[in-house]
Amino acid sequence: LALEINEYKRSLAAEEERNNQLTSENEKLNIDAISQTVTYDNLKTEFNKAEKDAYTAYYVNGTRKELKKAEVIEKKSLLGIGVDKLNSNASPEKFEKIDTRTTLEIPVNAKDAKIVTAHNAGSYKWQEEGDGTKLLCITDPEAFWQKSKYLVIEVK
């Protein structure tokens, strides 16, 4: 009987040792899982920011005088002819921030308007509203925003 009890004690000690090893391995796996979850969350946050930035564009409209005063446009000389262009130092705070995937129409609130910045001509059309004001309709967002993420509309 004493021999049997000693055998059970050895067996119990071996099982306790195995249980301790499994507990230690389980703790390490839990720490790894937490670390991977944090890494995943960080990558997801970075991806979401990058995706948002990729689809962020800026627009502003105003009279030529307003746009020049806000330093949004500047006159550039092109073959001796003065042409208004986007000011390369224009502050993004002067613009309205939009998502290019969801913003397909931009009301201009003026009867006469033109786009100052470079955008593919076949990617948009002008539509007249019931009150005679213009509405810029972006028909091909990918092509429209390809050249510039900034849109400047001059109204009269």
Side-chain angles (χ1 to χ4, degrees):
L1 183 65
L3 194 59
E4 207 173 302
I5 289 174
N6 283 338
E7 184 60 35
Y8 282 130
K9 284 182 180 179
R10 269 188 299 235
S11 178
L12 180 61
E15 286 300 318
E16 284 178 345
E17 179 61 29
R18 185 169 178 264
N19 186 41
N20 288 340
Q21 287 175 345
L22 290 173
T23 300
S24 178
E25 285 179 36
N26 189 38
E27 288 173 0
K28 287 178 187 172
L29 289 172
N30 281 334
I31 290 169
D32 285 348
I34 290 168
S35 175
Q36 287 181 2
T37 299
V38 169
T39 299
Y40 170 80
D41 288 344
N42 288 341
L43 288 172
K44 187 175 179 183
T45 300
E46 286 178 37
F47 172 80
N48 288 340
K49 183 184 179 322
E51 182 182 41
K52 184 180 178 193
D53 289 348
Y55 293 106
T56 297
Y58 305 87
Y59 87 93
V60 65
N61 66 13
T63 64
R64 184 173 187 277
K65 185 177 180 179
E66 292 168 339
L67 296 172
K68 283 184 73 78
K69 183 177 179 183
E71 298 180 342
V72 170
I73 60 172
E74 61 185 353
K75 187 172 270 204
K76 297 277 185 169
S77 182
L78 187 65
L79 299 173
I81 302 170
V83 179
D84 288 331
K85 294 284 186 193
L86 175 66
N87 183 344
S88 57
N89 296 322
S91 171
E93 289 83 36
K94 305 281 182 176
F95 294 80
E96 195 73 30
K97 193 179 205 180
I98 59 171
D99 185 323
T100 61
R101 296 169 293 187
T102 56
T103 305
L104 300 177
E105 295 180 343
I106 298 175
V108 180
N109 300 322
K111 295 181 188 223
D112 191 16
K114 72 175 184 177
I115 295 178
V116 175
T117 44
H119 298 278
N120 293 324
S123 64
Y124 68 93
K125 65 181 181 180
W126 291 102
Q127 183 176 311
E128 193 171 307
E129 298 276 66
D131 62 358
T133 59
K134 298 276 187 184
L135 177 70
L136 176 64
C137 300
I138 301 169
T139 56
D140 184 348
E142 191 174 320
F144 185 83
W145 297 108
Q146 184 177 24
K147 293 180 182 176
S148 176
K149 292 288 185 174
Y150 285 84
L151 168 64
V152 177
I153 302 171
E154 182 184 321
V155 299
K156 295 183 181 178

